[in-house]
Amino acid sequence: MIDKRFDSNYLVSGESNGELLFTHTPISFWGSFDPETGEIIDTRSDLFGENVSGRVLAFPEGIGSSTASVVLLESVRNSTHPLGIINVKPDPIIVTGALLAKELYQVDVPVVTLRAGDFKKLEGCKNVSLDSTKGEVVASVDKK
Amino acid sequence: MELNELEKRMKAGEMGKAKQVCLRVQLKLGEAFGASRFVPISRAHLSGYNRFSGGAKIDFAKKIVGLGGNLEVPTTTNPTGRDISRWREFRVPEAFSKRCSELEEAYLELGAIPTWTCTPYSYSGIPVKGEQVAFAESNAIAFVNSVIGAKTERYGDLFEVCSAITGRVPYFGMHLEVNRTPGVLIKVKDIYPYSFSDNILFCLLGYEVGKICGSEIPLIEGINSGVVREQLKNFSAAVAASGGVGLYHIKGVTPDIKSKELTRNYRDSGKVYSITGKDLQKRHRELKSVESGKLDLVLLGCPHFSSSEFMRLNELLYNREISPGVEFWVQTNREEYYLIKEMGILSRLLSAGIKISTDTCMFNWPMDNWDFERVVTDSAKFAHYAPNELGVRTSLLDLESCVQAAVTGRCKG
């Protein structure tokens, strides 16, 4: 395994490590995601049917309804939440959900942004480590 | 972030635990988004209850109530998960209805103005140009920012609750004039076969602009004057649903347009797009998935129907009746309901077979007790979300065609 390290901006602090679930398309937590099961339910998404629980979810930006923050919060309540979120464009709606999760349920869901070029390099990586104290994202790739 | 004396006291807990908790969330978000300070708000609009809110929203509201929280500014409310008086008629599950009432009561305890509508900008609660506010509801955010020129960010649900409790928001994003300039120029040309008097044109335009922009701020040229509020309401809902647009400028229509220099900038930056009638027809086809067959439901009022829209519906239904077996639902708020009742329109619509709800939205409650397959609507926002949210085939049609389908009971493919 080789590691790729990326400088990153942590919008919500925390530490986690897990399998990467990556997409190039924006995600709307309201409408595309079921917080009861953790599944992506949007038939238009290339992650349709995938479960985010226990995985680090990477997508370029959030779109759609302001309800996304509460859907994320609900998934924390149900323990179906992603271990962390990686975006290119910072989204205050997603950040709100993660901050409320800390306050209400004392659960950390780190939210971090990468430069667009670095975000693309995540594709194909297996595992991702998030650590806000170090300010970086580390992705592991199988060595070929 | 720099805090004033009041905010320092709030942070230290000297103004109660509820304000302390809410300010803490706002501080972290503000710092994440580069806010240098807070700015006071003059009003807020709270998100309501829906089936995806589940327990988390109630947990938070109850926590704030339990900590002795109270709203610092006049605060209206978005639709709840049920028509508060008619939920049984709409077959809202009883246990779910009870949960809705828990959030409703928590909001009332905090001191909210119980409007239960997604169009809080349609009457007394309306902000004016330049007012700093904290709004939930993506269509309302787009509307008050763009059509009125008030200032809100596109907040995630519950952040607006925090803001209403502390009476302030981090001074970032669209609260600042400098962040409200457009980044994309969109030219609307040759819209045939649609015309500017068609409401459906604005649904489709909003939808297309949202797809082009993502979350960029557009400047839109080529829309004639003579645009009415309802069209901008539909535009706002569509643009916020298909993209993440929280602010748009329409030359000649919206108040926040700056100078001609802006137009020149886009030509230079290459972020210039055009929309033609062909593009809109293509989008329209995307928003039609209903095949020929028995019509199950007509859904109007996403966002909530206004009295002028009810007047138009009343005209279209003159001497006509909804086909038995077709549900025809119109969503609105209590204020409009009262007005159409006074006008005599309500009784005529009800006797034609229409069901009118207040306080809620079909997306908000579980549809377990209904069996809809084919739905037509005049709302692009509804047509966009319904297939995934409700598992139905949905087609966006102009109002006349919706009524026609309801009267015949059939959809054409």
Side-chain angles (χ1 to χ4, degrees), chain A residues 42 64 69 74 77 103 105, chain B residues 24 53 56 59 154 157 388:
Chain A
D42 185 359
S69 56
E74 190 69 21
R77 186 182 200 262
E103 207 55 63
Y105 303 124
Chain B
R24 195 156 56 215
S53 306
D59 287 349
R154 193 179 145 246
D157 290 359
N388 274 338

Side-chain angles (χ1 to χ4, degrees), chain B residues 306-342:
Chain B
S306 67
S307 355
S308 26
E309 287 171 312
F310 274 115
M311 287 165 69
R312 173 104 181 92
L313 178 62
N314 192 39
E315 278 170 28
L316 290 169
L317 275 168
Y318 183 72
N319 271 350
R320 299 163 96 186
E321 263 177 27
I322 309 306
S323 176
V326 172
E327 289 290 325
F328 194 123
W329 294 2
V330 187
Q331 306 180 150
T332 189
N333 58 48
R334 291 169 181 222
E335 199 145 40
E336 306 291 3
Y337 191 91
Y338 166 77
L339 292 169
I340 59 170
K341 188 173 176 188
E342 290 294 293

Side-chain angles (χ1 to χ4, degrees), chain B residues 132-154:
Chain B
Q132 297 282 4
V133 299
F135 266 48
E137 174 57 42
S138 60
N139 105 74
I141 290 165
F143 192 96
V144 302
N145 267 331
S146 315
V147 181
I148 293 171
K151 293 174 177 163
T152 182
E153 242 306 320
R154 193 179 145 246

Side-chain angles (χ1 to χ4, degrees), chain A residues 5-143:
Chain A
R5 301 192 118 77
F6 303 108
D7 283 331
S8 47
N9 182 28
Y10 277 84
L11 305 169
V12 181
S13 61
E15 228 182 283
S16 62
N17 189 316
E19 191 194 336
L20 174 67
L21 194 59
F22 179 94
T23 177
H24 282 295
T25 51
I27 288 184
S28 168
F29 277 103
W30 184 83
S32 304
F33 171 74
D34 184 350
E36 302 236 330
T37 59
E39 257 179 53
I40 302 285
I41 57 170
D42 185 359
T43 52
R44 296 168 285 209
S45 168
D46 59 345
L47 294 184
F48 174 64
E50 293 279 4
N51 198 306
V52 311
S53 356
R55 294 153 109 179
V56 176
L57 184 59
F59 55 103
E61 61 180 301
I63 56 167
S65 169
S66 47
T67 313
S69 56
V70 172
V71 175
L72 179 58
L73 185 64
E74 190 69 21
S75 76
V76 172
R77 186 182 200 262
N78 297 336
S79 302
T80 59
H81 59 95
L83 292 183
I85 291 174
I86 305 174
N87 294 143
V88 175
K89 184 163 180 173
D91 184 350
I93 297 181
I94 289 171
V95 167
T96 296
L99 288 174
L100 290 166
K102 250 195 225 281
E103 207 55 63
L104 197 54
Y105 303 124
Q106 291 79 50
V107 170
D108 280 348
V109 182
V111 178
V112 62
T113 55
L114 298 179
R115 288 185 288 263
D118 289 341
F119 180 84
K120 290 193 182 119
K121 291 177 190 161
L122 281 180
E123 189 166 18
C125 295
K126 277 200 76 166
N127 227 65
V128 174
S129 276
L130 305 182
D131 187 341
S132 56
T133 58
K134 295 192 180 130
E136 63 177 13
V137 170
V138 181
S140 347
V141 179
D142 276 340
K143 196 169 179 184

Side-chain angles (χ1 to χ4, degrees), chain B residues 104-233:
Chain B
E104 293 154 23
E105 273 149 36
Y107 279 173
L108 285 171
E109 264 205 72
L110 292 173
I113 303 165
T115 49
W116 311 120
T117 183
C118 52
T119 59
Y121 43 75
S122 54
Y123 57 99
S124 67
I126 197 168
V128 294
K129 185 173 186 325
E131 254 193 73
Q132 297 282 4
V133 299
F135 266 48
E137 174 57 42
S138 60
N139 105 74
I141 290 165
F143 192 96
V144 302
N145 267 331
S146 315
V147 181
I148 293 171
K151 293 174 177 163
T152 182
E153 242 306 320
R154 193 179 145 246
Y155 288 117
D157 290 359
L158 292 181
F159 193 88
E160 82 291 359
V161 176
C162 295
S163 308
I165 296 284
T166 62
R168 65 212 58 241
V169 290
Y171 194 44
F172 81 106
M174 291 186 284
H175 288 287
L176 278 78
E177 201 56 53
V178 66
N179 293 333
R180 297 172 69 89
T181 54
V184 170
L185 175 63
I186 298 183
K187 298 175 172 202
V188 176
K189 317 172 166 184
D190 180 24
I191 55 168
Y192 178 82
Y194 305 100
S195 88
F196 284 115
S197 56
D198 297 339
N199 279 330
I200 201 173
L201 170 67
F202 286 84
C203 289
L204 293 169
L205 272 176
Y207 200 77
E208 182 70 18
V209 170
K211 289 280 180 190
I212 292 172
C213 289
S215 47
E216 292 248 34
I217 298 172
L219 170 61
I220 300 151
E221 278 182 355
I223 293 183
N224 292 344
S225 56
V227 175
V228 300
R229 170 190 289 276
E230 281 78 6
Q231 292 168 319
L232 294 173
K233 173 180 74 167

